[in-house]
């Protein structure tokens, strides 16, 4: 019987029982002591109590879960969501959508655009894109202090011809929280704490004809792309950045300095 024909309750029970048996076998084979067992369980408890939520598991396992989701997928690949998504971001107004930001927001302007299509190449208008990313200091609004709510978080829609465009700032690589349990584990493994620069985006069809998808886009050639702490970078998620210093193009976006251009086309799967 395929997974899709198993009820969620039965599927959940199967997964928990298999995980239980795998961990029991691991404890026996590795001769895990009771003290070592307590260290592991305390790490999980501490990660919740200190506010890291899913960070500990996201760093080590979320990318594998999205890889499973992408098996046989013939549309745009899914990617990890990460722990910093926040629903209810402001709706932006086009045609050039500008992400909410502070006056004189630090960083290089980023012009991000592309087209949304179905598997047949037909352009899809009215698709919601929910975009969020770090600021120039690698910090997220509503997560880190002293940043206005929903800064660099916004929702906007593809135009009738399927195109979308948004103006923001270029995010940098950043360190994940390293003073809690996740940092303790990474330090013990002698690993760094950095994620490559990236954009998060969710796509939704208000009409419900296409599946919702979550993407995370990275900048080709960027620092930590080859050794992301969350090992989540995949070829299908890389985009090329272009430096734009043409005065006419700068003026057309209402800017007063050169900017970075990034383009990515999404293909959505029909709802089942």
């Amino acid at each position: 019987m395929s997974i899709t024909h198993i009820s969620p309750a039965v599927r959940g029970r199967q997964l928990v029982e298999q995980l239980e048996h795998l961990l029991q076998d691991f404890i026996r084979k590795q001769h895990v002591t009771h003290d070592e067992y307590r260290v592991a369980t305390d790490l999980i408890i501490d990660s919740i109590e200190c506010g890291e939520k899913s960070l500990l598991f996201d760093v080590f396992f979320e990318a594998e879960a999205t890889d499973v989701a992408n098996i046989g997928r013939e549309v745009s690949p899914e990617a990890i969501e990460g722990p910093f998504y926040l629903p209810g971001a402001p709706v932006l107004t086009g045609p050039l959508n500008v992400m909410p930001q502070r006056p004189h927001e630090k960083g290089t302007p980023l012009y991000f655009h592309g087209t949304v299509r179905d598997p047949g190449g037909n352009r899809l208008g009215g698709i919601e894109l929910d975009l969020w990313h770090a600021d120039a200091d690698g910090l997220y609004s509503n997560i880190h202090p002293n940043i206005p709510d929903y800064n660099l978080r916004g929702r906007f829609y593809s135009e009738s011809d399927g195109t979308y465009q948004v103006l923001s700032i270029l995010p940098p690589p950043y360190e994940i929280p390293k003073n809690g349990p996740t940092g303790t584990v990474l330090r013990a493994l002698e690993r760094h704490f950095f994620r490559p620069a990236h954009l998060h985006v969710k796509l939704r069809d208000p009409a419900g004809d296409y599946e919702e998808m979550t993407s995370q886009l990275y900048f080709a050639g960027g620092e930590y792309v080859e050794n992301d702490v969350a090992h989540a970078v995949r070829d299908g998620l890389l985009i090329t950045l272009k430096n734009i210093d043409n005065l006419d193009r700068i003026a057309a976006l209402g800017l007063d300095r050169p900017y970075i251009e990034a383009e990515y086309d999404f293909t959505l799967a029909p709802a089942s």
Side-chain angles (χ1 to χ4, degrees):
M1 181 180 293
S2 70
I3 292 175
T4 56
H5 291 91
I6 300 175
S7 72
V10 172
R11 171 69 171 165
R13 185 168 64 250
Q14 290 177 345
L15 290 175
V16 170
E17 288 177 346
Q18 289 183 40
L19 179 61
E20 176 189 17
H21 296 153
L22 284 171
L23 291 176
Q24 288 170 344
D25 288 344
F26 175 82
I27 290 171
R28 294 188 189 99
K29 290 178 180 178
Q30 299 300 323
H31 302 287
V32 175
T33 67
H34 192 267
D35 286 345
E36 290 169 336
Y37 165 78
R38 279 299 173 204
V39 168
T41 56
D42 287 348
L43 269 172
I44 296 173
I45 294 170
D46 289 347
S47 71
I48 297 171
E49 291 182 344
C50 79
E52 287 191 355
K53 297 181 180 179
S54 64
L55 181 64
L56 180 63
F57 291 92
D58 289 351
V59 165
F60 291 99
F61 305 117
E62 189 180 8
E64 276 62 43
T66 55
D67 282 346
V68 171
N70 286 325
I71 294 174
R73 187 176 174 88
E74 297 180 353
V75 293
S76 296
E78 291 271 359
I80 66 173
E81 179 179 288
F84 299 146
Y85 172 66
L86 188 70
V91 175
L92 313 181
T93 56
L96 177 59
N97 302 289
V98 179
M99 291 288 276
Q101 53 194 272
R102 292 161 286 196
H104 311 295
E105 184 79 34
K106 290 196 303 183
T108 302
L110 172 69
Y111 174 56
F112 177 48
H113 67 102
T115 305
V116 184
R117 294 182 171 88
D118 69 11
N122 301 300
R123 295 168 176 250
L124 301 177
I127 300 298
E128 180 186 84
L129 293 93
D130 191 345
L131 178 69
W132 74 102
H133 61 80
D135 67 11
D137 294 319
L139 305 177
Y140 285 82
S141 62
N142 301 82
I143 303 297
H144 298 98
N146 304 317
I147 303 174
D149 287 350
Y150 292 102
N151 197 64
L152 301 176
R153 297 177 183 268
R155 291 178 291 152
F156 49 95
Y157 294 85
S158 60
E159 300 294 327
S160 58
D161 63 355
T163 60
Y164 69 88
Q165 57 178 344
V166 63
L167 191 62
S168 192
I169 63 101
L170 186 70
Y174 63 82
E175 277 190 316
I176 65 170
K178 62 181 181 181
N179 295 322
T182 304
T184 298
V185 176
L186 290 171
R187 201 172 287 109
L189 295 172
E190 298 183 347
R191 298 181 187 177
H192 68 77
F193 306 98
F194 279 89
R195 297 227 57 219
H198 56 273
L199 304 173
H200 300 267
V201 60
K202 287 179 175 288
L203 285 85
R204 306 182 186 93
D205 176 18
D209 295 328
Y210 295 89
E211 292 181 357
E212 178 177 330
M213 69 162 292
T214 299
S215 187
Q216 189 169 142
L217 302 174
Y218 306 90
F219 308 138
E223 194 174 11
Y224 301 107
V225 163
E226 299 296 331
N227 60 342
D228 173 21
V229 65
H231 52 92
V233 179
R234 303 292 185 268
D235 288 343
L237 303 173
L238 290 170
I239 53 179
T240 300
L241 300 182
K242 299 178 182 178
N243 292 293
I244 306 298
D245 57 8
N246 178 276
L247 295 179
D248 290 337
R249 295 185 64 181
I250 291 171
L253 293 181
L255 298 172
D256 59 2
R257 62 191 190 279
Y259 65 91
I260 299 294
E261 180 181 20
E263 182 176 3
Y264 190 85
D265 294 338
F266 293 97
T267 302
L268 299 185
S272 55

